[in-house]
Amino acid sequence: MGRVGVLLLNLGGPEKLEDVRPFLFNLFSDPEIIRLPVTWLQKPLAWFISSSRYKKSQENYKQIGGGSPLRRITEEQAQALEASLAQKGQEAKIYVGMRYWYPFTEDAIAEIKQDKIDHLVILPLYPQFSISTSGSSFRVLEKLWQEDRVLGDNIKYSLISSWYDRPGYLQAMADLIAQQLDQFENPNRVHLFFSAHGVPVSYVEEAGDPYQREIEACTSLIVKTLNRPNPYTLAYQSRVGPVEWLQPYTEDALEELGEKQVKDVLVIPISFVSEHIETLQEIDIEYREVAEEAGITNFRRVPALDTHAGFINDLADLVIDSLNSPSQKFSDVVRPSDQLKMYPQERWEMGITTSAEVWNGRLAMLGFIALLVELFSGKGILHAIGIL
């Protein structure tokens, strides 16, 4: 088999406050995050969004210490995985490749080439596959393999698209949940609240993204593994933009539980295996406030897996299994078509509704495009009235 490497894929995150703006630019430059009808608008739109959002995002990062811990935790996971593999008799070097911040996936591949790796296991740290997470990273790698003959001719790869149903992963999640439940006065009465990162509905309904199906299956498997009588809810967080995302939204579901007089809630971040902004700030601060305002008096969260021994041990088994099994190719992975519509065809409605948000987004996009055209052409209504 030769020299074995494992490439851990993750989102990445700004480590300092001054990193926030360029990180957001990289994020929104990805067409799998925001798809536009014309590609040349992607960078200008990313610049516009990052410029308008970075100060608010910086305030959020200030609340968790001034930067994301994601790189540090991912590197700790890499070290733990390398040690676990060695204990199982499989020598391998572990690499970290982030999609939107350092160390970038391209940097990891350059190091992999330099180390003359013969067989590379590509392992996304997303348990469930989505075209906007694992899929986006896979497409970067596919392009690198197509353009670089050294990769194509010399490095065999094993592609792991998702692993949400792994027994070791499920047991690790169940163990963390049980530890938190037992700290409540009435553990069996606590409402389990699974919160997953959302994706646009169009990805699921039009592009065939299996994410929602895998999230729902994963939730059921964790509950079955836990084997407790607790009621549970699955909701989706972190939506961006005016399009319709998977529902119920986390904030709406929490408010609904409050209306039902639920007092004890344990939040489980099901699509995250590392602590980062969406657990430490969005759940622990923003959603805690939503829950308290809704009347939920005991709001707690299950910690992310990070370097949980059972989780790391299962990842090591997964790597070994993948080395000895037929692998998917990049071309086998689900991807959005060029015709995928990000804006659903809805009738305009009055009030604060999903439809109104969609139409507001369309109007804002048209206005932004008109502004760009006028800036580049030097002609238009703003020039005529003396504003530009």
Side-chain angles (χ1 to χ4, degrees):
M1 189 173 292
R3 293 174 59 84
V4 173
V6 180
L7 175 59
L8 299 181
L9 300 174
N10 214 327
L11 184 81
E15 297 173 68
K16 307 182 297 296
L17 292 179
E18 53 264 38
D19 297 338
V20 171
R21 186 172 181 174
F23 167 77
L24 291 176
F25 177 82
N26 293 338
L27 176 69
F28 292 110
S29 293
D30 185 356
E32 314 317 339
I33 300 299
I34 295 182
R35 291 183 66 80
L36 297 175
V38 286
T39 57
W40 63 268
L41 276 176
Q42 198 76 47
K43 297 291 185 182
L45 180 61
W47 175 86
F48 178 78
I49 296 175
S50 60
S51 298
S52 60
R53 290 179 59 125
Y54 82 95
K55 289 186 178 180
K56 183 179 186 302
S57 292
Q58 283 181 334
E59 292 302 316
N60 292 339
Y61 279 103
K62 285 180 183 178
Q63 294 178 354
I64 64 169
S68 172
L70 189 59
R71 177 176 181 172
R72 172 182 58 80
I73 294 171
T74 306
E75 290 176 345
E76 290 171 355
Q77 290 170 329
Q79 294 169 4
L81 178 58
E82 188 167 314
S84 182
L85 283 167
Q87 289 177 354
K88 296 175 184 290
Q90 177 60 65
E91 296 297 324
K93 183 170 181 181
I94 316 299
Y95 304 85
V96 171
M98 300 296 191
R99 183 65 181 89
Y100 305 116
W101 202 242
Y102 300 98
F104 290 109
T105 304
E106 296 87 343
D107 299 329
I109 291 297
E111 188 177 354
I112 288 165
K113 287 172 56 182
Q114 184 177 359
D115 290 343
K116 300 186 183 304
I117 294 298
D118 299 298
H119 194 138
L120 181 67
V121 177
I122 301 171
L123 174 56
L125 289 175
Y126 311 105
Q128 308 84 13
F129 176 86
S130 173
I131 56 180
S132 60
T133 52
S134 305
S136 179
S137 292
F138 289 165
R139 280 183 288 285
V140 170
L141 291 168
E142 180 180 32
K143 184 178 180 182
L144 291 173
W145 247 261
Q146 290 172 345
E147 296 177 348
D148 191 331
R149 290 190 62 182
V150 174
L151 292 173
D153 294 343
N154 299 304
I155 302 180
K156 178 181 178 182
Y157 66 84
S158 295
L159 190 66
I160 300 170
S161 59
S162 67
W163 39 271
Y164 67 91
D165 54 354
R166 295 278 304 181
Y169 160 71
L170 296 171
Q171 189 61 58
M173 289 294 293
D175 290 346
L176 288 178
I177 295 169
Q179 290 172 15
Q180 293 297 315
L181 281 176
D182 292 340
Q183 297 180 28
F184 285 84
E185 184 176 349
N186 297 300
N188 291 343
R189 296 179 58 185
V190 176
H191 196 101
L192 303 179
F193 192 100
F194 292 87
S195 188
H197 196 293
V199 300
V201 171
S202 59
Y203 274 14
V204 175
E205 295 184 351
E206 298 178 35
D209 194 336
Y211 179 74
Q212 183 180 22
R213 180 177 71 251
E214 292 189 1
I215 282 287
E216 291 174 353
C218 184
T219 301
S220 298
L221 288 169
I222 291 173
V223 170
K224 183 178 179 180
T225 305
L226 180 64
N227 195 26
R228 297 280 190 107
N230 303 75
Y232 68 93
T233 293
L234 170 62
Y236 297 91
Q237 65 180 88
S238 310
R239 69 186 187 275
V240 178
V243 301
E244 183 182 2
W245 285 51
L246 293 179
Q247 296 189 40
Y249 299 137
T250 292
E251 59 269 34
D252 295 341
L254 287 171
E255 291 170 354
E256 184 176 340
L257 289 179
E259 292 173 359
K260 294 179 179 178
Q261 304 302 310
V262 173
K263 300 301 179 183
D264 298 331
V265 169
L266 179 62
V267 180
I268 302 137
I270 188 175
S271 54
F272 314 112
V273 299
S274 310
E275 299 290 0
H276 64 305
I277 189 71
E278 287 163 352
T279 58
L280 299 171
Q281 195 278 330
E282 191 171 5
I283 293 178
D284 289 355
I285 298 177
E286 291 186 23
Y287 291 140
R288 178 181 297 277
E289 292 177 359
V290 172
E292 290 174 351
E293 290 177 3
I296 297 170
T297 55
N298 201 352
F299 179 93
R300 300 186 189 182
R301 176 175 67 83
V302 173
L305 287 163
D306 287 353
T307 55
H308 183 284
F311 166 57
I312 296 297
N313 181 68
D314 193 54
L315 285 186
D317 289 339
L318 176 59
V319 168
I320 293 171
D321 290 346
S322 71
L323 287 170
N324 300 299
S325 304
S327 175
Q328 282 184 303
K329 299 299 181 184
F330 293 121
S331 57
D332 298 329
V333 175
V334 177
R335 64 196 65 208
S337 67
D338 292 338
Q339 289 75 38
L340 176 62
K341 299 188 296 294
M342 286 295 289
Y343 293 89
Q345 300 300 313
E346 297 177 347
R347 290 180 299 177
W348 186 83
E349 299 172 356
M350 289 288 291
I352 304 175
T353 64
T354 300
S355 179
E357 288 185 27
V358 170
W359 278 97
N360 288 339
R362 288 172 175 160
L363 293 173
M365 182 63 71
L366 289 173
F368 178 64
I369 292 172
L371 175 61
L372 288 176
V373 171
E374 185 156 346
L375 287 173
F376 284 113
S377 68
K379 298 178 181 179
I381 188 172
L382 297 179
H383 282 83
I385 61 178
I387 295 179
L388 290 178

